[in-house]
Amino acid sequence: MKGEAGRSERLFRAAVSAFCSLTRPSRRDIKQLEDLVLPLFDAVSVEARRFAAAALSECADAPSGLIRRLSNETVDIAAPLLIRSKVLRDVDLIALIGRHGLPHARAIARRTDLNQAIADLVWALENPKLVRLPLPKERQAQVEAANRAQALSDGNPEPVPGISADNARRRLRSMMLSAQTAPDATTEQSTGSLRYAKLRDMALTGNPALFQTALADTSDIDFLTAKSIIEKANYPELIAVLRSLELSEEQAFLLASCVYPGKFADPESIRLFLNSYRNMQLDAAHQGAKTLKAGSPSAPVSSQTVTRSAAG
């Protein structure tokens, strides 16, 4: 077993080194590296993963699946990619912050080309107890100008200077709305991905009624039930519905952060949502969604259901 592990380690390192030596890797080279290295990933050491992350952080054409896998490792492994990799898109960075919290967020904040909306979100996460955060003098005029432009587009003539978690997320939603039209060759147009795209598009409009309608359509519940789910202060029913649609954690979090913009102003609240979603068993989610489809608001999916599912 030791010899087999050593062989996997050597092959893993050699494949990454060979790829990094290519001046202009072809699509075939990129696919070959991913096909060779990903099956070995769980068998290699932390040192090998750290080596791969550092080596690939400068490769603009590195395989996206491998980069995302390495980026989801602990920050001591993932840091070079979080700081430098051009493969990670803005949506990837948001998802990584949502999944891993401040350690990843702090590394991402060191990117030289970081979208300002993500930088502001990191700042808000660093200071969760502050409603308004003081800005360095050199950024004050820039942020005030951005706030004025955003306020005018929102029909609000009195923008408030400074950064808040709400302001950061509003700019994030605007950024993601413009980014969603970018082609993604790796996205499979399955029924699940089309459902998510519909929910995402409606959530990003900022109009609750549009998202409620989309939620009712995709999950086959009536509009009043969907409206009730969204208007509640907690979100166990929303978790059950999104889980029953088999959305990923990142997809569910992005939807929830649009629907409840004030609920995720600190890493702990993000962790609680992701843990609840991750621990919701699929059978329990389908049962909860079935109850809602039956039109039984008197027997909603409760937080106890989520807890029992997590315990199971």
Side-chain angles (χ1 to χ4, degrees), residues 61-99:
D61 297 314
S64 58
L66 177 58
I67 294 300
R68 292 190 184 102
R69 183 75 183 270
L70 286 164
S71 297
N72 276 291
E73 293 289 299
T74 54
V75 74
D76 61 303
I77 296 172
L81 295 171
L82 302 177
I83 296 169
R84 291 189 293 275
S85 177
K86 303 293 185 185
V87 177
L88 295 173
R89 303 166 302 166
D90 288 339
V91 172
D92 298 320
L93 299 176
I94 297 167
L96 288 165
I97 292 172
R99 175 173 283 183

Side-chain angles (χ1 to χ4, degrees), residues 7-27:
R7 189 160 55 250
S8 296
E9 187 100 357
R10 289 191 297 273
L11 181 57
F12 185 91
R13 288 175 177 265
V16 171
S17 297
F19 180 85
C20 292
S21 69
L22 299 174
T23 306
R24 292 181 180 176
S26 65
R27 290 185 180 180

Side-chain angles (χ1 to χ4, degrees), residues 9-275:
E9 187 100 357
R10 289 191 297 273
L11 181 57
F12 185 91
R13 288 175 177 265
V16 171
S17 297
F19 180 85
C20 292
S21 69
L22 299 174
T23 306
R24 292 181 180 176
S26 65
R27 290 185 180 180
R28 185 166 177 265
D29 294 326
I30 295 169
K31 187 175 188 310
Q32 281 183 335
L33 177 65
E34 197 159 67
D35 290 345
L36 179 62
V37 168
L38 282 179
L40 301 173
F41 198 91
D42 292 329
V44 301
S45 66
V46 168
E47 289 73 20
R49 298 177 193 183
R50 188 176 290 120
F51 161 78
L56 294 170
S57 65
E58 303 287 355
C59 297
D61 297 314
S64 58
L66 177 58
I67 294 300
R68 292 190 184 102
R69 183 75 183 270
L70 286 164
S71 297
N72 276 291
E73 293 289 299
T74 54
V75 74
D76 61 303
I77 296 172
L81 295 171
L82 302 177
I83 296 169
R84 291 189 293 275
S85 177
K86 303 293 185 185
V87 177
L88 295 173
R89 303 166 302 166
D90 288 339
V91 172
D92 298 320
L93 299 176
I94 297 167
L96 288 165
I97 292 172
R99 175 173 283 183
H100 300 283
L102 271 178
H104 274 56
R106 286 169 176 154
I108 288 169
R110 295 171 59 188
R111 294 175 73 94
T112 56
D113 59 345
L114 185 62
N115 186 294
Q116 192 59 57
I118 300 178
D120 290 348
L121 177 61
V122 175
W123 198 329
L125 291 176
E126 288 270 20
N127 300 268
K129 295 183 179 179
L130 299 182
V131 177
R132 305 286 172 204
L133 307 181
L135 295 174
K137 289 181 180 178
E138 62 271 17
R139 287 195 55 218
Q140 186 68 39
Q142 177 188 0
V143 172
E144 288 181 357
N147 278 345
R148 278 194 297 273
Q150 181 65 53
L152 288 173
S153 69
D154 290 345
N156 177 9
E158 296 295 333
V160 182
I163 298 173
S164 68
D166 221 20
N167 287 340
R169 284 195 175 83
R170 188 172 63 233
R171 287 196 291 276
L172 278 175
R173 289 197 296 275
S174 175
M175 173 194 73
M176 290 169 62
L177 185 59
S178 62
Q180 69 184 334
T181 56
D184 185 355
T186 63
T187 300
E188 187 176 335
Q189 292 301 311
S190 63
T191 302
S193 65
L194 292 173
R195 285 175 178 169
Y196 168 65
K198 181 175 183 178
L199 289 168
R200 178 199 61 198
D201 293 350
M202 294 303 100
L204 290 171
T205 65
N207 185 327
L210 291 179
F211 181 75
Q212 291 158 15
T213 302
L215 187 66
D217 290 345
T218 56
S219 58
D220 196 26
I221 59 179
D222 64 75
F223 177 78
L224 290 179
T225 302
K227 186 173 186 287
S228 173
I229 291 171
I230 301 307
E231 290 180 346
K232 288 183 178 177
N234 52 16
Y235 42 70
E237 290 180 348
L238 180 63
I239 285 179
V241 172
L242 297 182
R243 185 78 176 90
S244 73
L245 296 174
E246 300 187 31
L247 303 186
S248 69
E249 294 172 25
E250 294 89 349
Q251 290 171 338
F253 174 70
L254 288 176
L255 292 175
S257 65
C258 290
V259 176
Y260 303 116
K263 273 217 169 271
F264 305 105
D266 59 85
E268 183 60 25
S269 61
I270 295 172
R271 264 187 231 105
L272 285 173
F273 177 87
L274 292 175
N275 285 340

